């Protein structure tokens, strides 16, 4: 059920005065005056509606490009069992769509606008005047008419729930970024969200270096150390990203990894530091060769079977053992305590420890990485990222937009380009994601609902519908605008909150 906000205006009494006294009108003209007042009321009501409609239409038009971008999913390379929508998710319930429109309108209000019917006043009335403090406006992920960065500004990652995720980023006063001083451009790296592409682009084309910078709002105030700096990043569909996150975390915390592995084993097979929270992941896998024999069995290799190089880029041929371990991990993982930084949600990595969003100028989507980098190149370099006409025509004065092409050429041999994304770790997925069940995918969407809600990303088709346990029955995944005027996931992992 969706809450409604009472915005009824009490009628004003209007007196016609002349010289400080009530003017007496002839009886025959009272009906005429009454009719005039009624017509004025209709005109005022109609103009208010048209103003609201025009404002909403203008905002939709202004953000049309971002809406299309926010509504594109990053479809995994393998045939995982979901169909990603290229359009905004639309609820079959007209009330739900109306609530999303209302929330959009309220959040776009200006704090200096105090008129009764303005978005700012409506938001204040919702926060303070609603009869029930437990009532929240509910809407589907990806249905707000806001860009990624606009939505994030109105989000709050609750530290009492997402503390372990927020710890990975810290206070926000010293964030590791790729920073280009000549272009006053800072890029926030998010693991498994196009960071390898960004690193190439910024290093080779923007003369960027890896440094720590403050990304709290105060640093961008006039006279602050970040005044005039643009802060960018790319985000990725959370379901697709989770598959890559797991693959990375699996290898980084494997027993054969001795570097930067808090769960490493000693020569006797014991954990000298601390045990792995999910020891079944690497059961009977004591070395990389053991692992390789699972996703690339010797009997499936082309002779000579001792040649292991063919396993490096070959699609997985595992028999379901690795996929079963992935599914068990998703079932047992509470979504709140990532044991590796690569399992951290995107929103906490874009927030400070108190859950407040960092200062971000623009957030792009990896589903259109090439388009995003084209826009960045045009804004900061005055050229396109993938238009190489200048180079082909012998024009090497920089006017040709060979940015993306040059970055691709400079990529190392272990890096490949796919869909405009330069992948630093290009090896195929080692577990067979075609074997991942629908139920597992839906649980991942629930675990990552904070990202879907706070980045205004639509749910993939497989995660839509009433499939999620809530109370006494099943519910859809949804977002809420809470009583503080902040966007929150409507459900938390394992019923927390």
């Amino acid at each position: 059920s969706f809450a409604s906000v009472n915005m009824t205006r009490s009628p004003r009494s209007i007196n016609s005065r002349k010289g400080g006294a009530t003017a007496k009108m002839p009886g025959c003209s009272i009906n005429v005056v009454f009719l005039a007042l009624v017509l004025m009321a209709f005109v005022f009501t109609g103009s208010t509606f048209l103003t609201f409609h025009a404002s909403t239409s203008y905002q939709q038009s202004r953000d049309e490009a971002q809406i299309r971008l926010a509504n594109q999913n990053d479809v995994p390379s393998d045939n995982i069992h979901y169909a990603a929508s290229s359009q905004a998710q639309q609820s079959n319930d007209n009330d739900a769509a109306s609530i999303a429109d209302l929330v959009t309108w309220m959040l776009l209000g200006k704090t200096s606008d105090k008129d009764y019917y303005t978005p700012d006043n409506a938001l204040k009335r919702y926060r303070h005047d609603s009869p029930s403090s437990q009532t929240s406006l509910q809407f589907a992920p990806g249905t707000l008419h806001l860009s990624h960065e606009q939505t994030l500004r109105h989000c709050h990652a609750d530290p009492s729930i997402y503390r372990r995720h927020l710890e990975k980023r810290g206070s926000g006063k010293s964030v590791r970024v790729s920073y280009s001083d000549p272009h006053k451009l800072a890029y926030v790296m998010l693991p498994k969200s196009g960071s390898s592409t960004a690193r190439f682009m910024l290093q080779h084309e923007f003369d960027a270096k890896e440094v720590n910078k403050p990304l709290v709002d105060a640093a961008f105030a006039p006279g602050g150390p970040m005044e005039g700096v643009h802060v960018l990043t790319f985000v990725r569909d959370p379901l697709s990203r989770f598959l890559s996150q797991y693959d990375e975390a699996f290898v980084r915390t494997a027993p054969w990894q001795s570097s930067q592995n808090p769960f490493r084993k000693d020569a006797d097979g014991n954990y000298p530091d601390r045990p792995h929270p999910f020891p079944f992941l690497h059961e009977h896998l004591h070395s990389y060769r053991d692992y390789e024999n699972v996703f690339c069995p010797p009997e499936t290799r082309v002779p000579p079977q001792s040649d292991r190089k063919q396993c490096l880029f070959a699609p997985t041929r595992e028999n379901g053992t690795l996929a079963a371990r992935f599914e068990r991990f998703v079932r047992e993982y509470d979504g709140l305590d990532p044991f590796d930084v690569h399992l951290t949600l995107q929103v906490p990595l874009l927030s400070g420890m108190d859950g407040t969003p960092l200062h971000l100028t623009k957030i792009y989507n990896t589903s259109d990485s090439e388009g995003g980098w084209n826009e960045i190149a045009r804004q900061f370099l005055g050229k396109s990222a993938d238009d190489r006409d200048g180079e082909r025509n012998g024009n090497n004065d920089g006017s040709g937009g060979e940015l993306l092409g040059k970055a691709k050429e400079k990529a190392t041999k272990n890096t490949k380009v796919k869909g405009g994304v330069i992948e630093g770790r290009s090896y195929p997925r080692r577990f067979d994601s075609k074997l991942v069940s629908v139920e597992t995918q839906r649980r991942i969407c629930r675990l990552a609902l904070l990202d879907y809600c706070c980045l205004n990303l639509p749910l993939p088709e497989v995660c839509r519908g009433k499939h999620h346990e809530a109370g006494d029955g099943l519910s859809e995944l949804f977002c809420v605008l809470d009583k503080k005027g902040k966007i929150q996931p409507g459900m938390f992992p394992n019923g927390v909150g």
Side-chain angles (χ1 to χ4, degrees):
S1 62
F2 297 90
S4 61
V5 182
N6 183 4
M7 294 186 224
T8 307
R9 169 182 271 186
S10 301
R12 296 180 181 174
S13 58
I14 303 176
N15 292 328
S16 173
R17 297 183 180 275
K18 184 178 181 181
T22 302
K24 294 185 178 180
M25 302 180 189
C28 61
S29 62
I30 291 178
N31 290 337
V32 175
V33 173
F34 178 76
L35 179 59
L37 290 173
V38 171
L39 290 173
M40 290 172 64
F42 272 106
V43 170
F44 176 79
T45 303
S47 64
T48 301
F49 169 78
L50 290 174
T51 300
F52 166 75
H53 180 74
S55 175
T56 303
S57 298
Y58 170 75
Q59 181 62 38
Q60 285 182 266
S61 175
R62 190 182 73 173
D63 291 334
E64 183 180 2
Q66 284 303 311
I67 294 170
R68 286 199 304 269
L69 188 60
N71 290 327
Q72 295 178 9
N73 283 293
D74 188 21
V75 183
S77 58
D78 34 41
N79 295 322
I80 191 166
H81 302 122
Y82 78 89
S85 172
S86 61
Q87 298 179 349
Q89 175 181 336
Q90 296 295 330
S91 172
N92 291 329
D93 188 336
N94 290 331
D95 289 339
S98 299
I99 295 298
D101 291 339
L102 175 61
V103 170
T104 301
W105 180 68
M106 292 166 72
L107 294 180
L108 287 173
K110 298 179 180 179
T111 56
S112 60
D113 199 344
K114 306 301 180 185
D115 188 71
Y116 200 90
Y117 285 112
T118 61
D120 177 75
N121 197 283
L123 182 58
K124 284 183 170 60
R125 286 173 59 79
Y126 168 65
R127 293 170 58 183
H128 303 298
D129 300 341
S130 296
S132 170
S133 62
Q134 302 301 315
T135 303
S136 298
L137 296 177
Q138 300 179 4
F139 55 94
T143 58
L144 299 180
H145 302 300
L146 301 172
S147 63
H148 300 314
E149 64 274 7
Q150 285 177 315
T151 307
L152 181 64
R153 288 183 200 127
H154 295 287
C155 175
H156 181 250
D158 190 342
S160 67
I161 297 175
Y162 296 104
R163 179 172 64 88
R164 294 295 187 186
H165 287 267
L166 292 164
E167 287 175 347
K168 306 296 184 183
R169 176 57 77 200
S171 67
K173 295 180 179 179
S174 182
V175 178
R176 195 72 175 173
V177 298
S178 187
Y179 180 70
S180 170
D181 188 64
H183 299 284
K184 299 299 179 186
L185 174 64
Y187 188 97
V188 182
M189 299 291 178
L190 298 182
K192 317 316 294 182
S193 296
S195 57
S196 297
T197 303
R199 202 167 270 115
F200 265 98
M201 292 292 189
L202 292 161
Q203 178 183 352
H204 296 295
E205 306 301 332
F206 292 84
D207 194 26
K209 294 177 173 54
E210 302 277 327
V211 296
N212 286 5
K213 291 289 184 180
L215 296 185
V216 294
D217 284 335
F220 294 82
M226 297 294 283
E227 180 184 4
V229 175
H230 295 260
V231 185
L232 313 176
T233 195
F234 275 74
V235 295
R236 181 178 177 184
D237 169 66
L239 175 55
S240 170
R241 180 174 180 259
F242 192 90
L243 302 179
S244 297
Q245 288 176 279
Y246 171 83
D247 245 4
E248 186 76 16
F250 182 97
V251 174
R252 284 169 57 95
T253 61
W256 57 86
Q257 291 285 2
S258 58
S259 176
Q260 299 180 332
N261 181 8
F263 312 112
R264 64 185 179 87
K265 285 185 176 182
D266 59 23
D268 298 324
N270 300 316
Y271 293 98
D273 300 322
R274 54 182 171 136
H276 197 291
F278 301 94
F280 62 83
L281 293 180
H282 306 106
E283 191 174 7
H284 305 306
L285 301 177
H286 307 292
S287 66
Y288 181 80
R289 177 164 294 191
D290 292 339
Y291 179 43
E292 188 179 59
N293 286 339
V294 176
F295 67 78
C296 184
E299 63 272 15
T300 66
R301 301 172 195 166
V302 177
Q305 292 166 326
S306 59
D307 178 16
R308 292 178 170 272
K309 291 183 180 179
Q310 60 184 287
C311 296
L312 195 60
F313 297 106
T316 183
R317 304 187 191 100
E318 66 117 344
N319 61 6
T321 299
L322 298 178
R325 294 183 185 189
F326 171 75
E327 294 216 306
R328 180 180 172 184
F329 167 71
V330 174
R331 287 194 303 270
E332 297 185 12
Y333 178 49
D334 63 7
L336 302 175
D337 191 4
F339 62 86
D340 182 80
V341 66
H342 287 82
L343 289 172
T344 309
L345 295 172
Q346 295 169 106
V347 168
L349 290 174
L350 298 174
S351 307
M353 272 296 294
D354 62 353
T356 301
L358 302 177
H359 186 101
L360 285 143
T361 310
K362 187 77 170 180
I363 300 177
Y364 296 91
N365 195 310
T366 60
S367 61
D368 185 21
S369 180
E370 194 158 330
W373 281 107
N374 276 335
E375 182 177 320
I376 295 169
R378 283 192 293 268
Q379 179 179 352
F380 294 95
L381 302 179
K383 60 183 180 180
S384 166
D386 60 355
D387 174 15
R388 306 194 67 186
D389 287 343
E391 183 179 350
R392 281 195 298 267
N393 296 331
N395 182 1
N396 296 317
D397 61 1
S399 60
E402 64 273 13
L403 172 70
L404 189 61
K406 288 171 66 178
K408 291 175 182 177
E409 290 171 2
K410 292 176 181 178
T412 64
K413 64 180 181 180
N414 286 333
T415 300
K416 71 177 181 180
V417 177
K418 176 181 166 184
V421 176
I422 298 175
E423 300 177 314
R425 292 178 179 86
S426 60
Y427 309 117
R429 187 158 291 123
R430 300 315 193 188
F431 70 93
D432 191 348
S433 60
K434 295 190 295 296
L435 303 177
V436 176
S437 68
V438 167
E439 290 73 20
T440 296
Q441 294 175 61
R442 288 172 178 165
R443 175 160 172 77
I444 293 171
C445 287
R446 180 165 180 164
L447 294 176
L449 189 55
L450 177 71
D451 280 355
Y452 280 111
C453 290
C454 288
L455 294 172
N456 198 31
L457 295 166
L459 293 169
E461 188 66 36
V462 70
C463 295
R464 302 180 191 178
K466 295 183 177 181
H467 306 296
H468 307 272
E469 293 183 6
D472 297 330
L474 297 177
S475 171
E476 296 180 297
L477 292 179
F478 63 94
C479 313
V480 299
L481 184 69
D482 69 12
K483 299 304 295 182
K484 297 180 180 180
K486 297 297 183 181
I487 295 172
Q488 294 281 311
M491 298 178 184
F492 296 97
N494 290 358
V496 175

